[in-house]
Amino acid sequence: HGGSTYPTATKLDDFANAACLDHFAAFDGIPYQRSKLYFTYLLPSVRSWADGDRTVVCVVETVGRPLTKTLQGAKL
């Protein structure tokens, strides 16, 4: 997403959900729909957007279990 105007929350959420979903299977090793893992994301703030930040960070997480190793390639 280019542009100098900070997008609406809906546009940012839609973009982040699609981007994280697209990258999930390559990261975990299986499609999101079959995984026991979840993802969330971090979006650029209004201030960082004004400074040119267009980075969305996808975060893979478990629910109810502590992490003891990386989730990359976990196929959970």
Side-chain angles (χ1 to χ4, degrees):
H1 285 290
S4 59
T5 304
Y6 193 75
T8 64
T10 301
K11 283 186 180 180
L12 272 177
D13 285 338
D14 287 350
F15 175 80
N17 270 307
C20 292
L21 189 59
D22 283 349
H23 289 89
F24 187 89
F27 179 81
D28 183 42
I30 61 173
Y32 182 69
Q33 294 80 355
R34 291 183 23 221
S35 177
K36 295 176 184 166
L37 302 175
Y38 299 90
F39 71 79
T40 189
Y41 45 83
L42 305 173
L43 301 172
S45 67
V46 174
R47 181 177 291 173
S48 69
W49 185 275
D51 290 337
D53 181 14
R54 303 295 185 268
T55 304
V56 171
V57 177
C58 301
V59 179
V60 176
E61 59 188 359
T62 63
V63 174
R65 290 189 297 185
L67 291 178
T68 57
K69 62 181 181 172
T70 180
L71 293 174
Q72 187 168 5
K75 298 182 182 176
L76 292 175

CSV table of all heavy atoms in Angstrom, one decimal, residues 2 5-7 14 27 29 34 41 47 51 58 62-63 67 74-76:
chain,number,residue,atom,x,y,z
A,2,GLY,N,0.8,2.0,-1.0
A,2,GLY,CA,1.5,3.3,-1.1
A,2,GLY,C,0.6,4.4,-0.5
A,2,GLY,O,-0.3,4.2,0.3
A,5,THR,N,-1.9,9.1,2.7
A,5,THR,CA,-3.0,9.2,3.6
A,5,THR,C,-3.1,7.8,4.3
A,5,THR,O,-3.2,6.8,3.7
A,5,THR,CB,-4.3,9.5,2.9
A,5,THR,OG1,-4.2,10.7,2.2
A,5,THR,CG2,-5.4,9.6,3.9
A,6,TYR,N,-3.2,7.9,5.7
A,6,TYR,CA,-3.3,6.7,6.5
A,6,TYR,C,-4.7,6.0,6.1
A,6,TYR,O,-5.7,6.6,6.1
A,6,TYR,CB,-3.3,7.0,7.9
A,6,TYR,CG,-3.2,5.8,8.9
A,6,TYR,CD1,-2.0,5.2,9.0
A,6,TYR,CD2,-4.3,5.4,9.6
A,6,TYR,CE1,-1.8,4.1,9.9
A,6,TYR,CE2,-4.1,4.3,10.5
A,6,TYR,CZ,-2.9,3.7,10.6
A,6,TYR,OH,-2.7,2.6,11.4
A,7,PRO,N,-4.6,4.7,5.8
A,7,PRO,CA,-5.9,4.0,5.3
A,7,PRO,C,-6.8,3.8,6.5
A,7,PRO,O,-6.5,3.9,7.7
A,7,PRO,CB,-5.4,2.6,4.9
A,7,PRO,CG,-3.9,2.6,5.0
A,7,PRO,CD,-3.5,3.9,5.7
A,14,ASP,N,-8.1,-5.7,6.4
A,14,ASP,CA,-8.3,-6.6,5.3
A,14,ASP,C,-7.0,-7.0,4.6
A,14,ASP,O,-6.7,-8.1,4.3
A,14,ASP,CB,-9.2,-5.9,4.2
A,14,ASP,CG,-10.7,-5.9,4.7
A,14,ASP,OD1,-11.0,-6.5,5.7
A,14,ASP,OD2,-11.4,-5.2,4.0
A,27,PHE,N,5.0,-20.6,6.3
A,27,PHE,CA,5.7,-20.5,7.6
A,27,PHE,C,5.5,-21.8,8.4
A,27,PHE,O,6.5,-22.4,8.9
A,27,PHE,CB,5.2,-19.3,8.3
A,27,PHE,CG,5.9,-19.2,9.7
A,27,PHE,CD1,7.1,-18.6,9.8
A,27,PHE,CD2,5.2,-19.6,10.8
A,27,PHE,CE1,7.7,-18.5,11.0
A,27,PHE,CE2,5.8,-19.5,12.1
A,27,PHE,CZ,7.1,-18.9,12.2
A,29,GLY,N,3.9,-24.7,7.5
A,29,GLY,CA,4.0,-26.0,6.8
A,29,GLY,C,2.7,-26.6,6.4
A,29,GLY,O,2.6,-27.6,5.6
A,34,ARG,N,-6.2,-25.9,8.6
A,34,ARG,CA,-5.9,-27.2,9.2
A,34,ARG,C,-5.1,-27.0,10.5
A,34,ARG,O,-4.8,-28.0,11.2
A,34,ARG,CB,-5.3,-28.1,8.2
A,34,ARG,CG,-6.2,-28.5,7.1
A,34,ARG,CD,-5.6,-29.5,6.1
A,34,ARG,NE,-4.5,-30.3,6.6
A,34,ARG,CZ,-3.4,-30.6,5.9
A,34,ARG,NH1,-3.3,-30.1,4.7
A,34,ARG,NH2,-2.5,-31.3,6.4
A,41,TYR,N,-1.5,-9.7,14.0
A,41,TYR,CA,-0.6,-8.8,13.2
A,41,TYR,C,-0.5,-7.5,13.9
A,41,TYR,O,-1.3,-7.0,14.7
A,41,TYR,CB,-1.1,-8.6,11.8
A,41,TYR,CG,-2.5,-8.3,11.6
A,41,TYR,CD1,-3.0,-7.0,11.8
A,41,TYR,CD2,-3.4,-9.3,11.4
A,41,TYR,CE1,-4.4,-6.7,11.7
A,41,TYR,CE2,-4.8,-9.0,11.2
A,41,TYR,CZ,-5.2,-7.8,11.4
A,41,TYR,OH,-6.6,-7.5,11.3
A,47,ARG,N,1.6,7.7,13.1
A,47,ARG,CA,2.8,8.4,13.1
A,47,ARG,C,3.9,7.7,12.2
A,47,ARG,O,4.6,8.4,11.5
A,47,ARG,CB,3.4,8.6,14.6
A,47,ARG,CG,4.7,9.4,14.6
A,47,ARG,CD,5.1,9.5,16.0
A,47,ARG,NE,4.2,10.4,16.7
A,47,ARG,CZ,4.3,10.7,18.0
A,47,ARG,NH1,5.2,10.1,18.7
A,47,ARG,NH2,3.4,11.5,18.5
A,51,ASP,N,5.9,8.7,8.4
A,51,ASP,CA,7.3,8.6,8.2
A,51,ASP,C,7.7,7.6,7.1
A,51,ASP,O,8.8,7.3,6.9
A,51,ASP,CB,8.0,8.2,9.5
A,51,ASP,CG,8.0,9.3,10.5
A,51,ASP,OD1,7.9,10.5,10.1
A,51,ASP,OD2,8.2,9.0,11.7
A,58,CYS,N,3.3,-10.1,10.8
A,58,CYS,CA,2.4,-11.2,11.2
A,58,CYS,C,3.0,-12.0,12.4
A,58,CYS,O,4.2,-12.2,12.4
A,58,CYS,CB,2.3,-12.2,10.0
A,58,CYS,SG,1.6,-11.4,8.5
A,62,THR,N,0.2,-19.6,19.8
A,62,THR,CA,-0.6,-20.7,20.3
A,62,THR,C,-1.6,-20.2,21.3
A,62,THR,O,-1.4,-19.0,21.8
A,62,THR,CB,0.2,-21.8,21.0
A,62,THR,OG1,0.9,-21.2,22.1
A,62,THR,CG2,1.3,-22.3,20.0
A,63,VAL,N,-2.6,-20.9,21.7
A,63,VAL,CA,-3.5,-20.5,22.7
A,63,VAL,C,-3.5,-21.6,23.8
A,63,VAL,O,-3.7,-22.8,23.6
A,63,VAL,CB,-5.0,-20.4,22.2
A,63,VAL,CG1,-5.9,-20.1,23.3
A,63,VAL,CG2,-5.0,-19.3,21.1
A,67,LEU,N,5.2,-21.5,24.5
A,67,LEU,CA,6.1,-21.8,23.4
A,67,LEU,C,7.4,-22.3,24.0
A,67,LEU,O,8.0,-21.6,24.9
A,67,LEU,CB,6.3,-20.6,22.5
A,67,LEU,CG,5.1,-20.2,21.7
A,67,LEU,CD1,5.4,-18.9,20.9
A,67,LEU,CD2,4.7,-21.3,20.8
A,74,ALA,N,6.5,-25.9,12.1
A,74,ALA,CA,5.9,-26.8,13.1
A,74,ALA,C,4.8,-27.8,12.6
A,74,ALA,O,4.6,-28.8,13.2
A,74,ALA,CB,5.4,-25.9,14.3
A,75,LYS,N,4.1,-27.4,11.6
A,75,LYS,CA,3.0,-28.2,11.0
A,75,LYS,C,2.0,-28.5,12.1
A,75,LYS,O,1.5,-29.7,12.2
A,75,LYS,CB,3.5,-29.4,10.3
A,75,LYS,CG,4.4,-29.1,9.1
A,75,LYS,CD,4.9,-30.4,8.4
A,75,LYS,CE,5.8,-30.0,7.3
A,75,LYS,NZ,6.3,-31.2,6.6
A,76,LEU,N,1.7,-27.6,12.9
A,76,LEU,CA,0.7,-27.8,14.0
A,76,LEU,C,-0.7,-27.4,13.5
A,76,LEU,O,-1.0,-26.4,13.1
A,76,LEU,CB,1.1,-27.0,15.2
A,76,LEU,CG,2.3,-27.4,15.9
A,76,LEU,CD1,2.6,-26.4,17.1
A,76,LEU,CD2,2.2,-28.8,16.5
